[in-house]
Amino acid sequence: MVDLEAQPLKVIYCGVCTMPCEYCEHGPDTEKCRDWWEKHHPEEFSEHCLTQVAGQLKDSSVSEDSSTKKKQTRGGKALKKSKKEMEGPKKINISRVARNKRKWMTVICGLRTYEIDLKKASKVFASHFSCGSSVTGEDEVVIQGDVTEDLVDFLLEKYPQVDEETVDCSVADKK
């Protein structure tokens, strides 16, 4: 009979990415891993799949120098928001929109034309009117409840740069 006693595998880990050879191709520095394996363990390098990856990297134009690569910063690929200066007339629109049968939302647009921070304004509205308030669009704040009449007076009192003539208060019965 043949002795089928299981022997532990000897795994050699990469000195660059600290993964086994089979997984180096999925790491961030495949080119550096390939060079390390060629230098330190040429016999394992020739047996494993890094040779296939190495051939693909040499043939393709995708291989870049690691110093010219752009590193991704925390927060993803999203671009930083820049403050847009609104052009045109300064005007604030306040509208009441039906949410359910007897529930209403108050929508304010145009606060950014007066350089009012929407997040801070939303927080002030929520605490003053004792309700929920959020920034929903680029220049839109939504307040839960019908506070259209009180909101005009509060805006003029809280933000002195807002003129009464530029505030337009309309009531809409749409869902």
Side-chain angles (χ1 to χ4, degrees), residues 20-78:
C21 175
E22 296 84 17
Y23 298 104
C24 280
E25 65 186 69
H26 304 293
D29 296 324
T30 306
E31 191 71 27
K32 289 181 182 178
C33 291
R34 183 180 59 81
D35 294 339
W36 186 88
W37 280 99
E38 274 182 322
K39 184 179 178 184
H40 292 91
H41 300 283
E43 62 281 349
E44 284 86 6
F45 176 77
S46 62
E47 292 176 12
H48 292 289
C49 57
L50 275 179
T51 55
Q52 297 170 353
V53 174
Q56 291 173 357
L57 283 177
K58 286 182 180 177
D59 293 340
S60 70
S61 61
V62 177
S63 65
E64 297 179 33
D65 187 3
S66 63
S67 62
T68 60
K69 278 187 184 177
K70 291 184 180 178
K71 298 284 184 181
Q72 184 175 352
T73 59
R74 185 173 183 215
K77 296 181 181 178

Side-chain angles (χ1 to χ4, degrees), residues 152-166:
V152 176
D153 296 331
F154 181 70
L155 273 175
L156 297 174
E157 175 187 319
K158 180 71 178 173
Y159 302 104
Q161 68 264 32
V162 177
D163 297 327
E164 189 172 359
E165 294 85 33
T166 61

Side-chain angles (χ1 to χ4, degrees), residues 35-155:
D35 294 339
W36 186 88
W37 280 99
E38 274 182 322
K39 184 179 178 184
H40 292 91
H41 300 283
E43 62 281 349
E44 284 86 6
F45 176 77
S46 62
E47 292 176 12
H48 292 289
C49 57
L50 275 179
T51 55
Q52 297 170 353
V53 174
Q56 291 173 357
L57 283 177
K58 286 182 180 177
D59 293 340
S60 70
S61 61
V62 177
S63 65
E64 297 179 33
D65 187 3
S66 63
S67 62
T68 60
K69 278 187 184 177
K70 291 184 180 178
K71 298 284 184 181
Q72 184 175 352
T73 59
R74 185 173 183 215
K77 296 181 181 178
L79 298 173
K80 292 181 180 178
K81 293 181 182 179
S82 62
K83 291 184 179 180
K84 291 185 178 179
E85 292 188 22
M86 300 296 280
E87 298 173 1
K90 292 184 174 185
K91 187 165 187 155
I92 294 178
N93 293 323
I94 300 173
S95 59
R96 183 182 76 169
V97 180
R99 194 179 70 175
N100 275 340
K101 293 179 182 177
R102 297 186 330 232
K103 304 280 183 175
W104 298 95
M105 293 187 318
T106 305
V107 180
I108 309 161
C109 298
L111 289 176
R112 189 165 282 190
T113 57
Y114 287 98
E115 299 177 0
I116 297 173
D117 185 23
L118 298 180
K119 284 188 175 184
K120 290 180 181 177
S122 173
K123 183 83 171 169
V124 168
F125 296 148
S127 64
H128 183 266
F129 295 115
S130 300
C131 62
S133 177
S134 64
V135 178
T136 56
E138 189 173 308
D139 191 22
E140 185 176 81
V141 177
V142 175
I143 302 172
Q144 295 176 4
D146 182 13
V147 293
T148 49
E149 286 90 28
D150 299 333
L151 184 61
V152 176
D153 296 331
F154 181 70
L155 273 175

